[in-house]
Amino acid sequence: MVNNLFKHQDWFKTIVKAVYFDQENREKALDSLIAMKIVSYPITVEKTPQELNFRNLLYKAIHAQTDKDTLNFLDEYLRRWYDGLRKTG
């Protein structure tokens, strides 16, 4: 899916602008995804907002040291994804 997004630079640029301009709600998982394509993109050091805590697992998956750890974090992220989004409204 990420590779698909990268192929559509017009979409990607729009998403990057939206994420970057929303400084109040920046979080490291989305910043890390963007940084996969734009190496110099800054990854926020701010704590992830409580309602988005389920995304910390995505951040951990992106930065995991082994494939096994990546898959474990992704598996747990996907288990919590629906409920996490539902709680954000």
Side-chain angles (χ1 to χ4, degrees):
M1 182 172 153
V2 172
N3 282 335
N4 233 356
L5 176 62
F6 291 161
K7 290 178 186 174
H8 297 281
Q9 287 299 305
D10 52 330
W11 299 352
F12 185 70
K13 288 176 185 176
T14 300
I15 291 168
V16 170
K17 284 180 187 175
V19 169
Y20 188 78
F21 287 125
D22 189 12
Q23 291 293 318
E24 186 176 311
N25 295 306
R26 293 271 306 273
E27 52 104 7
K28 56 190 175 186
L30 288 180
D31 287 349
S32 294
L33 284 172
I34 293 169
M36 291 171 76
K37 182 68 174 173
I38 303 172
V39 178
S40 62
Y41 192 84
I43 298 173
T44 188
V45 293
E46 298 296 320
K47 190 174 180 181
T48 301
Q50 180 68 30
E51 65 273 9
L52 297 176
N53 266 349
F54 70 97
R55 286 192 185 161
N56 284 333
L57 292 161
L58 179 58
Y59 174 81
K60 289 178 181 181
I62 293 167
H63 296 282
Q65 298 297 311
T66 67
D67 290 345
K68 182 179 178 181
D69 287 343
T70 297
L71 290 174
N72 287 337
F73 286 129
L74 278 176
D75 187 45
E76 188 61 26
Y77 167 73
L78 291 172
R79 269 195 281 260
R80 296 181 185 190
W81 175 80
Y82 178 80
D83 216 27
L85 284 181
R86 187 178 56 77
K87 289 177 183 175
T88 64

